[in-house]
Amino acid sequence: MPLISLVVSTAITIAVVELLLRLPLVHGARQMLSLSRRAAAVMSSRRISEHWKEQALLKYSVRLAGTTFRLLLIFALLGAVVVVLAGTADFFLHPAIPSLAFLASWPGLATATVASVVYLVLRSRFGAK
C-alpha cells in the first residue's frame, strides 16, 4: 500500500469529517425523528378525527419529504467533495492506485475509519468544539 495513497485518503477523510461537523446533518436527522414521533402520536390518538388525521399526516409527510431531500443533497455534496478532492489529488500527484479506488477498498476504508477516529479525538482534545 503506497504511502501517497494513505496520505491522500487521510486528507480527504479529514476534509469530509470537517464538512460533516459543519453541515446541518444532525439537525436534519433530529427534525426527521421529531416529525416521525409527532405523526405517530397523531395516528395513535383517539381524540383526533380521521379527517384531521389525514390533514395532519399530509403536512407531516410533506415536511418529512423536504427534510429527506435536504439530507440527500448533503450526502450528494459530500460525495462530490470526495470525488473532486480525489480527482485533484490524482491529477497532481499521479499515485500508483487512484484515490477513489483506494478509498473504496478495504485498506482504504480502514484507513479512513482510523483517520476519522484519531482526527475526532485530537480535535475534541486540542481543537474547536
Side-chain angles (χ1 to χ4, degrees), residues 6-62:
L6 288 172
V7 172
V8 168
S9 65
T10 301
I12 291 172
T13 300
I14 290 171
V16 169
V17 166
E18 276 299 321
L19 269 175
L20 279 171
L21 292 173
R22 296 180 193 293
L23 290 173
L25 190 65
V26 173
H27 173 72
R30 285 185 181 151
Q31 188 176 13
M32 286 184 70
L33 185 60
S34 172
L35 287 169
S36 298
R37 285 181 180 159
R38 286 190 266 168
V42 166
M43 285 177 37
S44 63
S45 175
R46 294 179 187 233
R47 294 180 176 185
I48 302 173
S49 71
E50 293 299 316
H51 170 75
W52 291 112
K53 283 182 183 180
E54 289 175 9
Q55 299 297 317
L57 291 176
L58 178 62
K59 290 183 180 181
Y60 285 140
S61 65
V62 168

Side-chain angles (χ1 to χ4, degrees), residues 32-102:
M32 286 184 70
L33 185 60
S34 172
L35 287 169
S36 298
R37 285 181 180 159
R38 286 190 266 168
V42 166
M43 285 177 37
S44 63
S45 175
R46 294 179 187 233
R47 294 180 176 185
I48 302 173
S49 71
E50 293 299 316
H51 170 75
W52 291 112
K53 283 182 183 180
E54 289 175 9
Q55 299 297 317
L57 291 176
L58 178 62
K59 290 183 180 181
Y60 285 140
S61 65
V62 168
R63 287 183 184 171
L64 274 169
T67 303
T68 303
F69 184 70
R70 281 194 301 271
L71 290 175
L72 172 71
L73 290 178
I74 288 172
F75 284 119
L77 172 69
L78 288 172
V81 166
V82 169
V83 168
V84 167
L85 289 176
T88 304
D90 289 349
F91 179 78
F92 287 111
L93 301 176
H94 305 293
I97 302 171
S99 299
L100 281 178
F102 180 73

